[in-house]
Amino acid sequence: MEFSSKLLEKAVNEISQLPGIGKRTALRLVLHLLKQPKEQTGFLTQALVAMREEIKFCESCHNISDTAICEICSNTGRNHQLVCVVEDIRDVMAIENTGQFKGVYHVLGGKISPIDGVGPSQLKISTLVEKVKSGKLSEVIFALSSTMEGDTTNFYIYKQIADSGIIISTIARGIAVGDELEYADEVTLGRSILQRLPFEKAIKNN
Amino acid sequence: MEFSSKLLEKAVNEISQLPGIGKRTALRLVLHLLKQPKEQTGFLTQALVAMREEIKFCESCHNISDTAICEICSNTGRNHQLVCVVEDIRDVMAIENTGQFKGVYHVLGGKISPIDGVGPSQLKISTLVEKVKSGKLSEVIFALSSTMEGDTTNFYIYKQIADSGIIISTIARGIAVGDELEYADEVTLGRSILQRLPFEKAIKNN
């Protein structure tokens, strides 16, 4: 693309470095900003700078927070012996939306993925192991995505805390609620048969 | 969506005001910026602010430019009697890419579209009419999108310059190069038959 303005070109180039945004989309966004009042660009850039400069990560669970200890970790009404291990803040938000979890979280900040150059040392694994070793936890629940990277990360952590004596569980895999059996993939369907549970227990959860 | 951080929420809300970007995509972009060095957010916001504050529009053709008169308008090698009327800078870039046009442009900044609240007064129509009335032009080429809004805008301008005596043309509509006839819509195919041209002239343009 050849631009008639260096300022325009630079703005487009910077925006197109964001994931999933190509040069054409970036140009569309920039032209939109040009049609809006100058203040809107000001609000946008100020919000981004404030977010990047001032955002904190909870010292306990490593989730994004405005305070040193996040709202969930400082909530004494929650079960602090029950820790759910997730990849990032989006998973915390998804689980919180269900209203089914009353424990606390531990946000790893990613999954072990050698292809993307992410090793265990870049994730918040050591602080989780410390928490487990401190003896204050009763259960750790793995809630990572069911992918090769998620399974690798689960297993890497499991090996380090397996002998701690606490319960180590993982969220249930199975046919999604509302799904038809014939369209389910065979691995998921196979697991949901092997990991079947008493009918009375299942209806109690509805 | 409930966020654990007001700073995060504000950044997501501002980004999701851009066209075609929802809250989920905005959150993904913000989390990406958080994983990158702080400088990248700095570069992005500085480029946006500089673009919005300092960008100029060419005084002659109204295209985006870093100077008072853009490169195309100040190029004495181009035919300044031949003016191509387009909607915005993307159309200028598209036509420049073809390498087939040696005249200059007039960028309207949009199309007449009552539904979107865009009337003739918000577009750069009066300066085009002035240029035509000045008697320095030999031809005006309409190159707007072939939509209801584009046709309305063409006709609105045409009515004001029809009696000026200069050539008023529009870019050819027809079957795209490489397209198969059977998949063409009937309006386009009908026009390309009505507006057929001598074979020898057509092959000369290849």
Side-chain angles (χ1 to χ4, degrees):
Chain A
M1 272 194 185
E2 280 202 30
F3 293 92
S4 58
S5 154
K6 291 278 167 221
L7 291 164
L8 184 73
E9 186 172 8
K10 212 171 159 194
V12 168
N13 283 343
E14 287 294 337
I15 291 189
S16 63
Q17 284 185 26
L18 294 172
I21 297 194
K23 293 238 166 162
R24 268 171 194 273
T25 307
L27 180 57
R28 193 162 51 86
L29 298 180
V30 168
L31 293 180
H32 170 83
L33 284 177
L34 274 176
K35 282 194 180 176
Q36 302 297 314
K38 283 187 184 180
E39 293 80 51
Q40 196 181 329
T41 306
F43 292 145
L44 170 65
T45 54
Q46 282 155 24
L48 287 179
V49 168
M51 181 275 298
R52 191 65 188 86
E53 294 290 331
E54 292 164 34
I55 221 161
K56 290 183 189 73
F57 293 89
C58 171
E59 287 167 16
S60 174
C61 73
H62 311 297
N63 194 13
I64 293 170
S65 167
D66 288 341
T67 48
I69 300 288
C70 76
E71 251 178 64
I72 293 174
C73 286
S74 58
N75 183 344
T76 51
R78 298 184 76 120
N79 181 355
H80 288 255
Q81 297 190 311
L82 181 62
V83 172
C84 182
V85 179
V86 294
E87 192 187 327
D88 71 16
I89 186 174
R90 284 173 286 191
D91 304 324
V92 173
M93 289 163 70
I95 296 176
E96 283 297 288
N97 271 342
T98 69
Q100 298 291 341
F101 182 66
K102 297 298 173 201
V104 294
Y105 296 91
H106 185 93
V107 180
L108 295 176
K111 290 172 292 194
I112 296 174
S113 172
I115 287 179
D116 302 321
V118 180
S121 61
Q122 280 138 284
L123 306 177
K124 304 291 185 188
I125 291 177
S126 57
T127 50
L128 174 63
V129 175
E130 276 168 35
K131 272 186 213 169
V132 173
K133 296 252 158 95
S134 74
K136 288 177 191 155
L137 306 189
S138 61
E139 182 174 353
V140 165
I141 307 172
F142 290 129
L144 301 184
S145 305
S146 186
T147 59
M148 172 95 89
E149 289 82 12
D151 291 344
T152 307
T153 313
N154 284 344
F155 194 66
Y156 180 88
I157 300 173
Y158 172 76
K159 280 207 296 178
Q160 297 187 53
I161 62 173
D163 57 357
S164 63
I166 67 168
I167 302 168
I168 302 170
S169 60
T170 175
I171 54 169
R173 311 290 180 187
I175 306 297
V177 178
D179 263 15
E180 307 219 22
L181 277 208
E182 58 177 322
Y183 301 119
D185 69 288
E186 52 198 32
V187 179
T188 304
L189 186 53
R191 276 207 203 180
S192 71
I193 287 175
L194 288 177
Q195 298 166 2
R196 64 192 177 276
L197 66 170
F199 184 68
E200 286 175 359
K201 197 177 165 197
I203 53 174
K204 233 173 59 186
N205 291 338
N206 277 343
Chain B
M1 272 195 185
E2 280 202 30
F3 293 92
S4 57
S5 155
K6 290 276 167 223
L7 291 164
L8 184 74
E9 185 171 7
K10 210 171 161 193
V12 168
N13 284 343
E14 286 294 338
I15 292 189
S16 63
Q17 285 186 25
L18 294 172
I21 297 195
K23 291 237 168 164
R24 267 168 194 274
T25 306
L27 180 57
R28 193 163 51 85
L29 298 180
V30 168
L31 293 180
H32 170 83
L33 284 177
L34 274 177
K35 283 195 182 176
Q36 302 297 314
K38 284 189 182 178
E39 293 80 52
Q40 197 181 328
T41 306
F43 292 146
L44 171 65
T45 53
Q46 282 155 23
L48 287 180
V49 169
M51 180 275 298
R52 190 64 188 83
E53 295 290 330
E54 292 165 34
I55 221 161
K56 291 185 189 73
F57 293 88
C58 171
E59 286 168 16
S60 175
C61 72
H62 311 297
N63 194 12
I64 293 170
S65 167
D66 288 340
T67 48
I69 299 288
C70 76
E71 251 178 63
I72 293 173
C73 287
S74 57
N75 182 343
T76 51
R78 298 186 75 123
N79 181 355
H80 288 254
Q81 297 190 311
L82 182 61
V83 171
C84 182
V85 179
V86 294
E87 192 187 328
D88 71 16
I89 185 174
R90 283 173 289 192
D91 304 325
V92 174
M93 288 164 70
I95 296 175
E96 283 297 289
N97 271 341
T98 70
Q100 298 291 342
F101 182 66
K102 299 297 172 203
V104 294
Y105 296 91
H106 185 93
V107 180
L108 295 176
K111 289 172 294 196
I112 297 173
S113 172
I115 288 179
D116 302 321
V118 180
S121 60
Q122 280 137 286
L123 305 177
K124 302 292 184 187
I125 290 177
S126 57
T127 50
L128 174 63
V129 174
E130 276 169 34
K131 273 185 212 170
V132 172
K133 298 252 158 95
S134 74
K136 288 178 189 158
L137 305 189
S138 61
E139 180 173 355
V140 164
I141 307 172
F142 290 127
L144 301 185
S145 305
S146 185
T147 58
M148 172 96 88
E149 289 84 10
D151 290 345
T152 306
T153 312
N154 283 343
F155 194 66
Y156 180 88
I157 300 173
Y158 171 77
K159 281 206 298 180
Q160 297 188 53
I161 61 174
D163 56 357
S164 63
I166 67 168
I167 303 168
I168 301 171
S169 59
T170 175
I171 54 170
R173 311 290 179 187
I175 307 296
V177 177
D179 262 15
E180 306 217 23
L181 277 208
E182 58 176 320
Y183 301 119
D185 69 289
E186 54 199 30
V187 179
T188 304
L189 185 54
R191 276 209 204 179
S192 71
I193 287 176
L194 287 176
Q195 297 165 3
R196 63 193 178 277
L197 65 172
F199 184 68
E200 285 175 359
K201 197 176 167 198
I203 52 174
K204 231 171 62 184
N205 290 340
N206 279 342

